Amino acid sequence: MRPRLRVYHGDEIALGPGKVDLLQAIDEAGTLAEAARRLGMSYMRAWKLLQTMNSCFKEPLVDTARGGAGHGKATLTATGRAALTLYRRMELETAQAIEPAWRELLGHLED
Amino acid sequence: MRPRLRVYHGDEIALGPGKVDLLQAIDEAGTLAEAARRLGMSYMRAWKLLQTMNSCFKEPLVDTARGGAGHGKATLTATGRAALTLYRRMELETAQAIEPAWRELLGHLED
C-alpha cells in the first residue's frame, strides 16, 4: 500500500512524496547536490522542486548558504522541519487508520 | 488534501483513484460505455483498466453481459462491491486520521 499524500497550493503541489523525500535527503546529506545525487535526480530538478516548495510556504523550507566556508550547505528551517515531520506523521497515521480495510482488500487479491 | 491510495499487485496497480472511479461509474451507469463517457475516457481505456483490475483479483470485479437483451450491461460482482466500498472507506479513514496534522501543515502554507 502506498498512500501518496499531496498537499496542493493552488495548482501546484506544495508537498508530495518526491518533495518530502528531497527534504529528508537534504536533512541527511547537508547539501542540495548530495541530496539530489542520493535520490538519483539532477541538481536542476532538485533545485526546481525546492523552489516550488519554498514558494508555496510562508517561510522557506531550506536555508542554503552562499559563499564562505559553508558554501553549498543546506539546512532545514523550522518550517522545513515541521513540514517533514507532519508529512511523515500523516503517512504513518494513514497506514494505521486503513490497516483493517487494507487487510480485507488484500484478501481479495490474486495470490 | 488528496490521499491517492494505490493497491499494488506485483508491478501493477490493482486499484487506485482512477480505477475506483471507474468501478463507481459502472455501478451508477450500468454499462462500461456509459461509465467511460461520464468519466471522459475512451471505451478502450476503460476496458483496459477493467481488464487490469479483473486480472489482479481472485474474482472479476465486474460482470459484463454479452448478447441477448442485456447486451453491454455491466454490474459489480460481490468482489467489485467489496473493493469499491473498502477503498472509499480507506479514503475516508485517511482523511479523518490525518486531519490534525493536515491543519497544522496548512497553517504553514502561503495564504
Side-chain angles (χ1 to χ4, degrees), chain A residues 74-94:
Chain A
T75 48
L76 300 198
T77 63
T79 299
R81 174 83 40 208
L84 174 58
T85 303
L86 288 167
Y87 188 92
R88 293 299 186 213
R89 188 174 125 197
M90 290 194 296
E91 283 184 321
L92 190 64
E93 286 169 340
T94 295

Side-chain angles (χ1 to χ4, degrees), chain A residues 1-17:
Chain A
M1 189 279 306
R2 310 194 189 169
R4 297 177 65 83
L5 302 168
R6 288 173 182 169
V7 182
Y8 281 81
H9 182 252
D11 289 340
E12 285 191 308
I13 298 175
L15 216 55

Side-chain angles (χ1 to χ4, degrees), chain B residues 71-86:
Chain B
H71 178 68
K73 194 154 177 289
T75 48
L76 299 197
T77 63
T79 299
R81 175 83 41 209
L84 173 58
T85 303
L86 289 168

